[in-house]
Amino acid sequence: MNAPDRYERFVVPEGTKKVSYERDTKIINAASFTIEREDHTVGNILRMQLHKDPNVLFAGYKLPHPLQYKILVRVHTTSQSSPMQAYNQAINDLDKELNHLKRVFEGEMTKHPREY
Amino acid sequence: MEGVSYQRFPKVKIRELKDDYLKFELRETDASMANALRRVMLAEVPTIAIDLVEIEGNSSVLNDEFLAHRLGLIPLTSDRAMVMRFSRDCDACDGDGQCEFCSVEFHLHVRCDSDQTLDVTSHDLVSSDPSVVPVDVQRADSVGYDTSEQRGIIIVKLRRGQELRLRAIARKGIGKDHAKWSPAATVTFMYEPEIHINEDMMETLSLEEKREWIESSPTKVFGLDPNTQQVIVIDAEAYTYDDEVIKKADSMGKSGLVEIYAKEDSFIFTVESTGAIKASQLFINAIEVLKQKLDAVRLSEDTEEADDQFGELGAHMRGG
């Protein structure tokens, strides 16, 4: 009767930002991103991609509670970069990786004989 | 710093490609990417399924909500799903099923007038859109099948005088909302194992000991070469990372007889589809959906600007 609607798990409520950014008040070049309505799928690939960046000193994500449909991504970089720059870079690189993956998969499909 | 990229270039090798089954190798990426693709295939690639049922008449033995649930679980061919709208995002209608952009209407009217029980099946559903129909596995590969044997998915059975009449609306949805929208029956990936046998140590074993050691593996990973009587790897991928052969070697006093590693950047995927989408298309759609998700988590411009101002202000304050 009082069950929350199922779509609440993946529809961002009106008036809420998908991604919000908060700088760390004490540490320079550290910040956390709050991503609404996302989970391990995005959190983990982002974290691992951030780890590839040598300017990233720390990158981690957490799903604070299974019934709070958001993740927190925390990034700490060197002074050569900034959390925002590293974050954008990670997304761009993942996007390019997926474009590449799609291309090679479709290429493989055309040369693979269909079996029945 | 612009222009620096830490992008990877994964490699793919397809091993088996069927309409409802796909097996391939994915290399030169990491487990987070493999797992993200698996998760998206299971829960976030859209399909079409019956979501609203209006029962006009039901004198069958099953109650209305039971039937509605069963109808929802019937897989529908969903090649259109990627370009359809979610009915909650559709501005052309109010989700009442009269809209071609977000819904497909089905009708079903069956009455039993004979003494024999009548099966009501997915074939009795009449679709308003020829591209969205119940999945028919037998029809899909009907070569060699007797056409009279084709039966579809049974919804309910009727006896004499019973009748079922309903209108159903199918909508686009994702597995996260309800499992009936999941296009995947199973998606798995495993690390590719790398097995090294210490040949010198292996030769210190008697034939009987070799056989005993080979038998200790619950799956058929190792075997004996019939000519040389050497222990060989028959099927590395049958290994389930159970460590049984390693424990056996230890208990025989032959620690280090075999070394097995999981290659951390190499995965073997299997994808089984419900038939709603072809397995290969399911993987392509998963890549597309994941790209859309990543695009949605990009920082909005006003967030970046707000920080720039803050940054300048901060620089001023630090400088002054």
Side-chain angles (χ1 to χ4, degrees):
Chain A
M1 295 290 258
N2 59 358
D5 289 318
R6 286 199 310 250
Y7 63 78
E8 279 190 22
R9 294 174 59 184
F10 48 86
V11 178
V12 181
E14 256 177 75
T16 317
K17 263 184 160 177
K18 179 81 181 173
V19 190
S20 52
Y21 169 84
E22 202 184 336
R23 238 173 226 253
D24 192 290
T25 50
K26 293 198 181 80
I27 310 166
I28 197 161
N29 280 326
S32 52
F33 301 86
T34 308
I35 309 176
E36 284 292 336
R37 275 34 181 188
E38 288 299 343
D39 57 14
H40 301 286
T41 308
V42 164
N44 200 26
I45 48 170
L46 262 183
R47 176 182 73 110
M48 293 312 283
Q49 187 64 42
L50 283 163
H51 285 169
K52 297 190 95 55
D53 186 338
N55 284 318
V56 170
L57 299 173
F58 175 84
Y61 84 100
K62 68 175 171 184
L63 190 86
H65 191 278
L67 295 176
Q68 285 175 358
Y69 307 114
K70 64 175 182 194
I71 53 166
L72 299 175
V73 181
R74 196 176 149 76
V75 186
H76 187 175
T77 67
T78 62
S79 54
Q80 304 297 307
S81 184
S82 73
M84 221 177 236
Q85 194 184 324
Y87 181 87
N88 289 335
Q89 180 72 52
I91 292 176
N92 289 339
D93 288 343
L94 284 169
D95 192 61
K96 282 189 272 178
E97 178 175 347
L98 287 168
N99 285 333
H100 174 83
L101 184 59
K102 191 174 178 185
R103 216 167 33 244
V104 291
F105 186 78
E106 282 170 345
E108 263 290 302
M109 265 176 68
T110 56
K111 64 182 173 190
H112 201 86
R114 285 165 54 84
E115 299 165 18
Y116 285 99
Chain B
M1 289 310 285
E2 294 297 321
V4 182
S5 177
Y6 310 106
Q7 189 202 342
R8 281 172 302 213
F9 296 91
K11 293 192 167 56
V12 172
K13 187 166 179 281
I14 296 177
R15 286 198 187 163
E16 219 181 321
L17 181 61
K18 290 186 197 159
D19 277 357
D20 61 347
Y21 183 80
L22 168 68
K23 188 167 191 166
F24 64 99
E25 296 161 12
L26 177 68
R27 293 174 199 279
E28 290 174 42
T29 188
D30 70 356
S32 72
M33 183 52 80
N35 195 39
L37 288 166
R38 182 191 66 87
R39 287 173 64 98
V40 169
M41 278 190 262
L42 282 170
E44 296 190 68
V45 171
T47 64
I48 302 162
I50 290 175
D51 195 31
L52 195 86
V53 182
E54 237 173 72
I55 310 258
E56 286 157 7
N58 172 21
S59 52
S60 78
V61 291
L62 297 185
N63 60 52
D64 294 0
E65 31 280 84
F66 199 127
L67 281 170
H69 180 236
R70 287 182 69 75
L71 287 163
L73 295 174
I74 296 170
L76 306 175
T77 50
S78 306
D79 297 312
R80 254 188 69 198
M82 285 297 273
V83 292
M84 258 174 93
R85 294 182 193 163
F86 286 107
S87 69
R88 63 172 179 275
D89 297 335
C90 183
D91 35 28
C93 68
D94 42 355
D96 58 359
Q98 305 300 324
C99 163
E100 54 173 326
F101 300 112
C102 70
S103 39
V104 180
E105 196 173 332
F106 285 87
H107 285 273
L108 183 141
H109 183 196
V110 187
R111 188 186 154 80
C112 177
D113 286 311
S114 71
D115 277 330
Q116 244 192 341
T117 26
L118 180 69
D119 292 349
V120 181
T121 70
S122 55
H123 290 338
D124 294 310
L125 281 166
V126 183
S127 170
S128 67
D129 180 344
S131 71
V132 181
V133 292
V135 166
D136 192 334
V137 182
Q138 287 161 343
R139 207 169 283 175
D141 45 29
S142 56
V143 197
Y145 276 93
D146 184 1
T147 36
S148 64
E149 286 288 303
Q150 292 177 8
R151 293 203 302 169
I153 299 163
I154 297 178
I155 299 163
V156 66
K157 293 184 179 185
L158 301 179
R159 63 171 289 180
R160 182 188 270 281
Q162 290 179 341
E163 187 181 14
L164 181 61
R165 201 181 159 88
L166 57 87
R167 187 175 85 101
I169 291 164
R171 293 193 181 124
K172 174 180 171 173
I174 57 171
K176 228 181 194 182
D177 191 346
H178 190 289
K180 70 183 174 186
W181 277 300
S182 180
T186 43
V187 183
T188 67
F189 70 84
M190 70 177 283
Y191 287 111
E192 186 176 46
E194 201 179 316
I195 302 175
H196 300 282
I197 298 172
N198 185 335
E199 299 291 351
D200 292 342
M201 197 184 279
M202 191 58 85
E203 281 319 303
T204 64
L205 263 62
S206 69
L207 191 58
E208 199 43 54
E209 284 175 313
K210 283 180 185 171
R211 284 214 179 88
E212 199 187 325
W213 181 78
I214 289 165
E215 284 306 308
S216 73
S217 175
T219 50
K220 199 126 186 65
V221 181
F222 302 96
L224 269 185
D225 189 305
N227 301 317
T228 61
Q229 314 263 290
Q230 274 183 314
V231 176
I232 48 168
V233 177
I234 296 179
D235 181 7
E237 281 159 34
Y239 186 60
T240 55
Y241 294 97
D242 46 54
D243 275 2
E244 290 296 330
V245 283
I246 293 163
K247 283 183 210 151
K248 181 69 183 175
D250 288 347
S251 75
M252 292 163 89
K254 300 279 179 188
S255 297
L257 184 64
V258 68
E259 277 185 87
I260 306 176
Y261 306 104
K263 286 171 130 180
E264 301 231 327
D265 67 340
S266 196
F267 308 94
I268 299 149
F269 263 86
T270 59
V271 178
E272 283 178 52
S273 158
T274 59
I277 311 174
K278 280 184 185 165
S280 53
Q281 193 61 46
L282 172 54
F283 185 66
I284 291 166
N285 287 0
I287 296 172
E288 204 50 51
V289 170
L290 191 53
K291 264 164 57 87
Q292 287 165 11
K293 283 171 75 75
L294 282 167
D295 207 42
V297 302
R298 280 179 198 278
L299 289 161
S300 58
E301 264 173 38
D302 54 318
T303 314
E304 287 198 39
E305 276 168 27
D307 186 62
D308 280 348
Q309 280 164 9
F310 182 78
E312 272 171 39
L313 190 71
H316 271 299
M317 281 157 68
R318 280 195 293 276

